[in-house]
Amino acid sequence: MARVVVDVMLKPEILDPQGQAVQRALPRLGFEGIADVRQGKRFELEVEGPVDDAALARIHEIAETFLANTVIEDFSVKVEVGEGADTSAVKAGS
């Protein structure tokens, strides 16, 4: 089985209150030098069979219609190969 990862992030122009709360808390906890924090979601999908163009197209459709709100979020799809290694993002949504 292969693992496909879908990362979903708010678009840069969308306010991220959770990220801002983390950013404000970091200096109080002794962590300096962090200019910005954005919070997102990560989905890991275990795929039966090969991760070919058809499988990636299906996963892209899943991400676009179910995992991400494409009005306010962007997403990327990447395939993980082996233990901890991954390929670069294969498809991105906007």
Side-chain angles (χ1 to χ4, degrees), residues 17-83:
Q18 288 177 300
Q20 289 177 342
V22 170
Q23 181 184 2
R24 286 190 305 269
L26 290 174
R28 291 193 307 266
L29 297 171
F31 299 102
E32 300 293 334
I34 305 300
D36 193 24
V37 176
R38 301 288 288 176
Q39 182 265 332
K41 300 179 281 192
R42 175 184 168 105
F43 298 91
E44 295 181 357
L45 292 78
E46 297 292 331
V47 179
E48 295 177 351
V51 181
D52 54 13
D53 287 343
L56 287 174
R58 190 173 70 246
I59 291 167
H60 189 273
E61 182 181 6
I62 291 168
E64 192 169 44
T65 59
F66 184 67
L67 302 178
N69 176 350
T70 56
V71 173
I72 62 169
E73 295 173 319
D74 291 326
F75 66 89
S76 66
V77 176
K78 59 186 171 187
V79 180
E80 285 190 348
V81 269
E83 287 281 321

